Amino acid sequence: CDSGRYLRTDAKDEDSTTDSFLQRAMANHHHPLRKVLHVQSLSTWAPVCIGPYSQANVLRSSLVFLAGMIGLIPETMRLIQSDGDDYAEGANDWELELHQSWRNAASVLDGLDDGGGVAGGKLEDCLGGLVYLSLGALEELSLSSVKGRGNGGGANDNDIPWEELWSRANSISRHAVSCNGGVVMGKVDGLSSSESNSNSNDGIDPTLYDEDGMLYGGYEDEETWREISGSLPATATVTATANDASESETPLLAVCLAELPMKAKAEVELICASRRAASCLRVVTSTPCVQS
């Protein structure tokens, strides 16, 4: 079987049209053929593996395959739920789980060692992904839609809100990619500090620091800082609007399944480029094909 042959090929065997990063990667025999990230114990940054798998598989230091991420809170390994606070007001549990899934994916990417002093990875390096939603998410959305209409009649209560499900999932996902799930690049490895922020080559996003060099302006997370400072509306990460869809053009496919692991209602599975590989890629935006 020739599967993965290009990963075992010497650069001299490739023609002149081969991508420059691929040429350099294959010429550098210090690049491991495969490297994995496996979270083995409770932490504050990413959930423990709940099965015989690794959270991330990296091939030739360039292509990153992320395992499916569900909305588990790392510290407790329980699915996130609405607790009635302002942050979650108006959001269904499946929406919170979807946002947390993206946040977990961003944390795992950030934990990757890209070598050469380059901080892990970001969701903006995503080449494509799958967004899984369970029938439980669809049922929850159906119930909230019925409650929203009240008893005034009108729409049929038996209508299945497929379009609304896809639209909300798309908005939340696009927003998560655009803001890296609320995760600061370099946070997992302790690189996100005011000292490292002064180094323009460390890969840390300078917009996440205030004028005094304080991460999140001294607040506990980016969302709180943006909300308090007035640059981010309350509950923006969960109740993202359809306008947020333009923030990211990452190709995503949404699928509804009967059931997900641990009775989760949302899950994301991604294929990404490493930071070094992404910096060498040529970004091409194509016009969407509309079928009549």
Side-chain angles (χ1 to χ4, degrees):
C1 178
D2 287 336
S3 176
R5 179 188 65 81
Y6 74 96
L7 293 173
R8 301 188 295 273
T9 304
D10 290 331
K12 63 183 180 180
D13 296 332
E14 298 296 317
D15 58 38
S16 59
T17 62
T18 301
D19 178 83
S20 59
F21 176 83
L22 185 57
Q23 285 182 329
R24 293 197 299 271
M26 290 190 295
N28 184 353
H29 295 289
H30 294 289
H31 277 316
L33 179 63
R34 178 171 176 263
K35 189 165 60 174
V36 301
L37 185 149
H38 185 95
V39 182
Q40 295 180 311
S41 60
L42 285 176
S43 69
T44 60
W45 65 280
V48 180
C49 286
I50 58 175
Y53 65 90
S54 297
Q55 273 95 336
N57 280 269
V58 185
L59 302 183
R60 281 286 189 178
S61 301
S62 57
L63 199 58
V64 182
F65 293 87
L66 285 188
M69 302 285 170
I70 59 177
L72 291 170
I73 300 175
E75 296 90 338
T76 62
M77 286 300 291
R78 295 181 179 179
L79 291 170
I80 189 170
Q81 292 181 333
S82 172
D83 56 7
D85 59 15
D86 292 337
Y87 171 79
E89 184 179 359
N92 293 312
D93 284 345
W94 73 268
E95 294 175 290
L96 296 175
E97 287 186 31
L98 180 55
H99 180 262
Q100 183 66 34
S101 298
W102 281 105
R103 187 179 184 89
N104 290 340
S107 294
V108 170
L109 283 174
D110 188 51
L112 295 176
D113 177 16
D114 205 14
V118 180
K122 297 184 72 175
L123 292 177
E124 67 180 23
D125 301 327
C126 181
L127 303 176
L130 285 167
V131 176
Y132 298 105
L133 301 168
S134 72
L135 288 179
L138 185 62
E139 293 171 357
E140 187 177 24
L141 181 58
S142 297
L143 288 174
S144 64
S145 298
V146 171
K147 290 179 181 179
R149 290 194 300 266
N151 298 321
N156 186 350
D157 287 350
N158 294 323
D159 288 343
I160 300 177
W162 288 111
E163 291 299 326
E164 186 177 0
L165 181 70
W166 304 139
S167 177
R168 288 197 188 186
N170 181 62
S171 295
I172 293 171
S173 298
R174 300 296 177 187
H175 183 81
V177 173
S178 69
C179 70
N180 201 42
V183 174
V184 177
M185 193 176 180
K187 178 180 179 181
V188 170
D189 291 325
L191 299 177
S192 54
S193 63
S194 57
E195 291 80 7
S196 65
N197 187 42
S198 62
N199 184 355
S200 60
N201 298 319
D202 60 9
I204 306 301
D205 186 353
T207 65
L208 298 174
Y209 297 81
D210 64 12
E211 60 273 12
D212 297 321
M214 293 292 294
L215 177 64
Y216 301 143
Y219 293 97
E220 67 269 17
D221 55 43
E222 182 183 2
E223 285 108 12
T224 302
W225 177 37
R226 301 294 189 194
E227 182 177 341
I228 295 298
S229 64
S231 60
L232 180 70
T235 71
T237 54
V238 177
T239 58
T241 66
N243 292 332
D244 294 324
S246 61
E247 295 181 350
S248 167
E249 296 181 351
T250 302
L252 299 173
L253 175 64
V255 181
C256 188
L257 301 177
E259 190 173 348
L260 294 174
M262 295 185 65
K263 299 185 182 300
K265 296 176 181 177
E267 180 179 1
V268 296
E269 184 178 328
L270 309 175
I271 300 177
C272 305
S274 67
R275 283 309 275 172
R276 283 187 291 173
S279 66
C280 300
L281 293 176
R282 296 182 298 274
V283 178
V284 178
T285 301
S286 58
T287 303
C289 177
V290 179
Q291 296 180 350
S292 57

